Amino acid sequence: MLPLSRVLLIGLFSSTLSFAAEYSLLNVSYDPTRELYKEYNVAFAAYYKEKTGDDVKISQSHGASGSQARSVIDGLEADVVSLALAYDIDAIAQSNKIPLDWQKKFQYNSAPYTSTIVFLVRKGNPKNIKDWGDLIKDGVKVITPNPKTSGGARWNHLAALAYALKHNNNDAQKAQEFLIKLYMNVPVLDTGARGATNTFVKRNLGDVLLAWENEAHLALEKLGKGKFEIVTPSMSILAEPPVAIVESVAQSKGTEKVAREYLEYLYSEPAQEIIAKNFYRPSNKDVLKKYSHVFSEIPDMVSVDSFGGWQEAQKVHFSDGGEFDKIFEEIKKRK
């Protein structure tokens, strides 16, 4: 029999000994969020470690938003998704991997930050591009991704359409003619927003890039300092990139709790600061006000609700045989 003192020591040791759990999350995201989530993941892992004692390793997957959604539908085991538009998460929800009411799970319709579409031009703005109307001029080369695959490109398309409708008294035929002329000035359609940025910045192709606001700032600050300028158009669109837990995956992996914390922490003040520093517009009004000098005022900001919401916009404009396909059929005829 062990001495009583040794029994007590063993009992004390075993009662205080604990092991940290280890979790692995996969965040499947769209093209331009690499830098944002690289920084955020470090901050969240430190926060979660301090709060729970557990370790979290977060992996990232990036690509065109529509393609990323398709990958999750086809079996990519994402714990969470952070995509360019609600339609892409709706598509995953239709596959029963995410609840249909996913937008009610987090604040602001599950959009912890917003963005918009601006123009990136070369230093000195040699083509004097100031607004959407300048994009259809002869000799202007416009870089934008393909709306069939890129969420950012769909925001670009709808922003251009909103401008065309407003400046043509809501004449749909004249607005379509505007878009035909715009796309005739597009030399290449990359699959995603980052690919389009690389085409403009690294391949030196085009006079203007239709860009997410954060992508434009990234190019300005890190990809080509002193080589570019941001032009804020008179009219643009309020982009609300949403997030969601892929509950079917998280439940099977036992990561649902940490996945929920991962997305909820995006709304915290420290995370909102990270969001602002990476040139996304934070949902926290106090943080947004603090960084107001970073974000340009756009006089006329429309919403996807102007087009009936994403389900309707997708059906009318970007589905097979929709308005985008009709535009390119017309362009083929003219060429």
Side-chain angles (χ1 to χ4, degrees):
M1 178 179 289
L2 292 173
L4 179 60
S5 61
R6 190 173 177 189
V7 171
L8 291 173
L9 181 62
I10 292 172
L12 179 64
F13 178 76
S14 62
S15 67
T16 58
L17 184 65
S18 62
F19 296 94
E22 294 184 359
Y23 297 97
S24 294
L25 296 181
L26 174 59
N27 179 0
V28 171
S29 196
Y30 65 108
D31 256 339
T33 60
R34 289 172 174 84
E35 294 76 18
L36 167 61
Y37 282 110
K38 182 179 180 181
E39 186 175 351
Y40 174 73
N41 290 345
V42 173
F44 174 76
Y47 158 79
Y48 200 74
K49 177 71 172 178
E50 183 178 353
K51 178 180 177 180
T52 67
D54 295 336
D55 295 308
V56 186
K57 180 182 178 182
I58 304 111
S59 299
Q60 290 294 126
S61 172
H62 296 275
S65 186
S67 299
Q68 292 290 79
R70 173 50 57 187
S71 294
V72 174
I73 292 168
D74 290 344
L76 180 61
E77 292 198 330
D79 299 89
V80 299
V81 288
S82 49
L83 297 177
L85 42 95
Y87 177 82
D88 291 329
I89 299 183
D90 280 339
I92 301 172
Q94 293 295 330
S95 70
N96 297 319
K97 294 177 182 288
I98 293 174
L100 293 175
D101 65 346
W102 62 269
Q103 281 190 297
K104 297 179 181 179
K105 302 295 184 180
F106 299 97
Q107 297 178 69
Y108 306 112
N109 290 324
S110 292
Y113 45 82
T114 64
S115 190
T116 191
I117 303 303
V118 297
F119 302 163
L120 188 70
V121 299
R122 304 196 183 278
K123 188 68 176 179
N125 195 4
K127 294 294 178 75
N128 196 30
I129 295 165
K130 295 180 179 179
D131 212 342
W132 295 95
D134 298 317
L135 305 184
I136 65 172
K137 292 179 178 177
D138 291 341
V140 173
K141 297 300 180 187
V142 180
I143 303 300
T144 182
N146 190 337
K148 301 290 279 190
T149 54
S150 167
R154 277 173 265 182
W155 290 114
N156 293 349
H157 181 101
L158 293 182
L161 176 57
Y163 174 91
L165 286 169
K166 180 177 180 178
H167 290 265
N168 287 284
N169 296 315
N170 287 316
D171 187 314
Q173 188 171 349
K174 289 181 179 178
Q176 185 185 49
E177 181 63 25
F178 179 93
L179 290 176
I180 290 169
K181 290 179 178 178
L182 191 158
Y183 282 111
M184 287 184 74
N185 281 350
V186 176
V188 59
L189 287 170
D190 291 287
T191 58
R194 184 55 58 89
T197 299
N198 288 335
T199 291
F200 186 75
V201 172
K202 296 182 178 179
R203 293 176 58 197
N204 203 36
L205 184 63
D207 302 300
V208 55
L209 171 69
L210 306 189
W212 288 99
E213 186 173 41
N214 65 288
E215 277 287 280
H217 280 283
L218 176 69
L220 210 64
E221 298 293 326
K222 297 181 180 179
L223 301 180
K225 201 168 182 66
K227 295 181 179 179
F228 307 104
E229 297 176 9
I230 293 176
V231 172
T232 304
S234 66
M235 186 175 189
S236 196
I237 193 162
L238 177 65
E240 299 174 288
V243 299
I245 300 171
V246 185
E247 293 193 10
S248 65
V249 174
Q251 287 171 0
S252 68
K253 291 172 60 178
T255 57
E256 190 173 13
K257 181 180 177 181
V258 65
R260 185 168 303 281
E261 286 257 17
Y262 178 76
L263 296 185
E264 285 179 345
Y265 191 66
L266 282 166
Y267 293 88
S268 70
E269 189 168 334
Q272 291 283 297
E273 290 266 352
I274 292 171
I275 286 165
K277 289 175 182 176
N278 282 274
F279 307 110
Y280 289 86
R281 299 185 180 217
S283 58
N284 183 305
K285 291 181 173 59
D286 291 334
V287 178
L288 179 60
K289 185 177 180 180
K290 179 180 176 180
Y291 287 87
S292 60
H293 62 284
V294 174
F295 304 108
S296 300
E297 284 289 332
I298 297 175
D300 193 355
M301 190 84 87
V302 299
S303 165
V304 69
D305 292 341
S306 302
F307 301 96
W310 269 114
Q311 290 294 329
E312 182 67 14
Q314 177 71 26
K315 177 183 175 181
V316 171
H317 298 284
F318 309 116
S319 62
D320 290 344
E323 293 302 314
F324 178 76
D325 285 351
K326 292 175 183 177
I327 286 168
F328 266 80
E329 285 301 315
E330 182 60 29
I331 289 173
K332 287 179 184 177
K333 292 176 184 177
R334 297 188 188 188
K335 288 183 176 180

